Amino acid sequence: GKGRRASAIACGNRFTLVLTTRMCLLACGTPSIAGYRDASSWGSAQELPSLVGLPLMQLSAGDHHAAVVTAHGTALVWGKNETGCCGREYPKELAVPVPVKIPSENQSASSPANLPFTDWAIWNNKDGLVAKMSD
């Protein structure tokens, strides 16, 4: 939109995500990532209604799934989840962004292999374990 500036971009298979300097996410392309709308508007970047108002800081994309991290450290993922790449076994497709469940310190599944993207790290802060893209 007019006056918006990009701070980050991520591309998957048939979709593009743009994070703006005002912490909002614009998406275009395939409806499973960019939101369901008239096919004639797939090429027009629009905000995802389920993320409006969230302070988004980082984004990442796989072939058929995407993720964002809020300023509060919450990781949200959506898209095709065929091999658990969205941090959960089911459902096989997430139509809207949902939080990634980060294992507690008492669970053994706290390795980077269990995160949705290879460029993410996991660390422990005063509020517990948080997933974040690596610097």
Side-chain angles (χ1 to χ4, degrees), residues 43-118:
S44 172
Q46 297 177 14
E47 288 186 66
L48 292 177
S50 56
L51 295 175
V52 171
L54 291 178
L56 304 175
M57 300 294 293
Q58 297 178 328
L59 73 155
S60 190
D63 282 343
H64 303 284
H65 62 286
V68 293
V69 178
T70 70
H72 310 292
T74 301
L76 301 156
V77 296
W78 71 103
K80 290 190 178 181
N81 184 41
E82 294 171 353
T83 57
C85 55
C86 291
R88 60 191 66 225
E89 190 173 348
Y90 295 102
K92 295 300 181 190
E93 185 157 347
L94 302 167
V96 296
V98 297
V100 174
K101 296 176 184 176
I102 305 298
S104 72
E105 288 184 62
N106 298 332
Q107 295 174 314
S108 61
S110 61
S111 74
N114 297 309
L115 295 173
F117 299 98
T118 57

Side-chain angles (χ1 to χ4, degrees), residues 6 53 134:
S134 302

Side-chain angles (χ1 to χ4, degrees), residues 1-2 12 41 59 62 67 101 105 111 116 123 125 135:
K2 188 175 181 178
S41 67
L59 73 155
K101 296 176 184 176
E105 288 184 62
S111 74
W123 79 96
N125 66 13
D135 294 329

